[in-house]
Amino acid sequence: HVQLVESGGGSVQAGGSLGLSCAASGATYSSYCMAWFRQAPGKQREGVAAIDSDGNDASTKYADSVKGRFTISQDNAKNTVYLQMSSLKPDDTAMYYCAAARPGAYCDISRESDFVYWGQGTQVTVS
């Protein structure tokens, strides 16, 4: 079982930057595909970015809406996944969730059902 705790949310002006962290515990963290999802009021939850267990750039995936602006990374020594967000827009306002996929799952943010461990979320507000 994996426990996930997000931090780093807050309020920022449009065009600004913000970084999120997700600390994982309870299992062999490096075995999992990790991802960030977000949900805005009145909208469905959507995948934002994912990173596979090997952690190199080739294993990252992004939603089209955030490509070139958001960067997902991980530090296996710290069991932590990060989401660095820049050039933020009001449309990026949402609750952001960290998630871990079941072991062996294909690492893809469009396969939300594969993500079985979730954090409580951290709010990001862009004005």
Side-chain angles (χ1 to χ4, degrees):
H1 189 72
V2 178
Q3 292 85 42
L4 303 172
V5 178
E6 303 97 335
S7 61
S11 297
V12 64
Q13 290 189 335
S17 300
L18 203 60
L20 306 181
S21 299
C22 171
S25 62
T28 305
Y29 158 78
S30 60
S31 300
Y32 294 86
C33 164
M34 302 295 296
W36 288 93
F37 288 77
R38 67 185 181 186
Q39 187 167 22
K43 295 186 177 180
Q44 286 191 323
R45 189 163 56 190
E46 62 174 350
V48 175
I51 188 165
D52 210 339
S53 57
D54 57 14
N56 61 47
D57 288 344
S59 67
T60 57
K61 298 177 178 68
Y62 296 92
D64 288 343
S65 59
V66 306
K67 280 181 182 176
R69 300 189 299 121
F70 289 12
T71 301
I72 189 171
S73 61
Q74 64 184 27
D75 184 335
N76 286 344
K78 296 182 178 180
N79 280 4
T80 301
V81 176
Y82 305 96
L83 185 70
Q84 183 62 40
M85 305 179 292
S86 61
S87 301
L88 283 161
K89 307 173 182 178
D91 283 350
D92 295 318
T93 295
M95 185 72 78
Y96 283 71
Y97 298 91
C98 178
R102 57 177 175 78
Y106 185 70
C107 195
D108 188 336
I109 50 177
S110 67
R111 299 164 66 102
E112 185 175 325
S113 60
D114 284 343
F115 290 86
V116 295
Y117 302 111
W118 293 84
Q120 294 299 307
T122 185
Q123 178 68 36
V124 172
T125 302
V126 185
S127 59

